[in-house]
Amino acid sequence: MLETEALRLLVAVADTGSFTGAALRTGYTQSAVSRRIASLEQQAGGPLFERLPRGVRLNPAGRTLHRHAVDVLERLSRAEAELAALHAGRGGVLRVGAFATANIFLVPTALREFTRARPGVQVTAVEGRSATLMRRLVEGALDIAVVSDYPSGLPSAEGTRTTALLDDELLVALHREHPLAGSGSVDLCDLREEVWLQEAPADSPAVLAEAWTRAGFRPRKVIRIAEWAGKFGYAAAGLGIALVLSLAARAVPDGLVLCRLGGLLPHRTVHLSLPAAPLPAALELRDLLRAAAGRDTRHGSGPRALE
């Protein structure tokens, strides 16, 4: 195995044309340079330099090894620079995970500020459910994740640090001409005759079903729609009403009005999760996410940031 420092000395001797010149450049003594080059030649299987009356020059074997040595040393130099930038939060890759509604306003707002402040950091974004994001964080596939405890609770993940970021309120989206659209706040019981636009059964609508039970009714009809765009489209056409988390308020089209509901529906808590030893870039994004969490949405019913 050829040693990196021996390759550095090979390049220095070749550049200066002498062991003495290489010693002056590298801080070694002339005798130490001679010994290291002799050892390198033994490892390489033969001489690397022609010994001249004044100095030395590379022979064919030396030129071959010199070419590879320059390439190796350049690669190592780039690796050192990239590692230094990574540890300083100025470079490398930052892998960010978030659930769907966090990607409407919260995460993009923080990432916009982050990319302006750290243009040398390459950001990759992954969207998914909280349980999946937590698993990927544990596996080392993510550097920071924005996750939620709704509707199934916050998944546990060994070796991670998770802190609450904000409370996210459940609102109801009504067509602008709905009789209750101007009330600002409605009681769940007032919506007993409505058609509800709800996610597919696999999305665990148990929380909403329990709220209906506490309010003393079952909806007369439920239309199963999983994606936000579809829910908004149906609601804007007056075909039903949809629950909207306050993080998604900025995506609500102008034809809809958001109203608060009574205390029968739970709030959810949004959390930030990082590895036990997070990257400096992840910590910087964490701070920017906290700042973004404190900003109200355009509808005045935004999430409430947690201290």
Side-chain angles (χ1 to χ4, degrees):
M1 181 67 68
L2 302 179
E3 296 180 358
T4 302
E5 192 58 27
L7 296 179
R8 294 187 196 276
L9 288 176
L10 172 74
V11 172
V13 172
D15 288 347
T16 62
S18 71
F19 294 157
T20 302
L24 292 173
R25 173 186 287 190
T26 60
Y28 284 92
T29 63
Q30 190 273 341
S31 60
V33 172
S34 297
R35 287 195 302 271
R36 294 296 294 271
I37 293 298
S39 176
L40 180 62
E41 289 177 323
Q42 185 176 10
Q43 289 180 292
L48 299 171
F49 291 94
E50 296 178 19
R51 272 64 174 179
L52 305 174
R54 291 187 177 181
V56 296
R57 68 184 176 195
L58 292 168
N59 64 17
R63 288 194 294 272
T64 298
L65 184 56
H66 178 269
R67 184 176 68 252
H68 290 290
V70 169
D71 184 52
V72 168
L73 294 174
E74 287 179 351
R75 287 175 178 269
L76 287 175
S77 179
R78 290 198 298 270
E80 290 171 356
E82 289 179 16
L83 286 171
L86 178 70
H87 292 308
R90 294 181 285 101
V93 178
L94 181 65
R95 302 161 301 174
V96 182
F99 57 90
T101 49
N103 281 329
I104 292 175
F105 171 73
L106 176 66
V107 174
T109 298
L111 283 178
R112 178 183 58 196
E113 300 301 321
F114 179 84
T115 54
R116 287 174 178 172
R118 298 297 185 189
V121 178
Q122 179 185 345
V123 176
T124 62
V126 174
E127 183 174 289
R129 297 184 179 277
S130 294
T132 301
L133 296 175
M134 293 295 283
R135 184 176 67 252
R136 297 193 67 174
L137 195 69
V138 171
E139 293 170 349
L142 289 176
D143 300 307
I144 183 172
V146 181
V147 294
S148 168
D149 61 1
Y150 177 86
S152 305
L154 188 68
S156 60
E158 187 177 353
T160 63
R161 297 189 303 178
T162 301
T163 56
L165 178 63
L166 58 87
D167 279 334
D168 197 12
E169 183 179 6
L170 280 168
L171 311 169
V172 62
L174 306 174
H175 188 276
R176 188 170 293 279
E177 297 179 1
H178 191 283
L180 298 175
S183 59
S185 179
V186 299
D187 193 292
L188 190 61
C189 295
D190 296 332
L191 304 173
R192 65 175 64 243
E193 297 301 321
E194 300 291 337
V195 175
W196 287 75
L197 307 169
Q198 178 59 27
E199 296 178 1
D203 283 300
S204 183
V207 172
L208 183 55
E210 291 173 2
W212 289 331
T213 300
R214 290 195 298 271
F217 74 93
R218 298 291 296 176
R220 64 182 181 88
K221 184 178 181 181
V222 175
I223 298 179
R224 301 294 183 183
I225 301 178
E227 300 298 331
W228 288 106
K231 290 180 185 179
F232 292 156
Y234 272 63
L239 299 176
I241 65 173
L243 288 182
V244 178
L245 291 151
S246 60
L247 276 178
R250 286 176 174 262
V252 173
D254 292 336
L256 297 178
V257 174
L258 293 179
C259 295
R260 295 182 183 275
L261 289 163
L264 291 176
L265 283 176
H267 290 213
R268 72 172 176 180
T269 302
V270 177
H271 300 261
L272 284 175
S273 191
L274 297 100
L279 292 173
L283 294 176
E284 185 166 350
L285 180 59
R286 176 201 62 186
D287 295 339
L288 291 172
L289 285 165
R290 287 173 174 171
R295 303 177 189 176
D296 291 336
T297 68
R298 63 178 180 178
H299 298 278
S301 55
R304 179 169 58 85
L306 297 177
E307 297 298 333

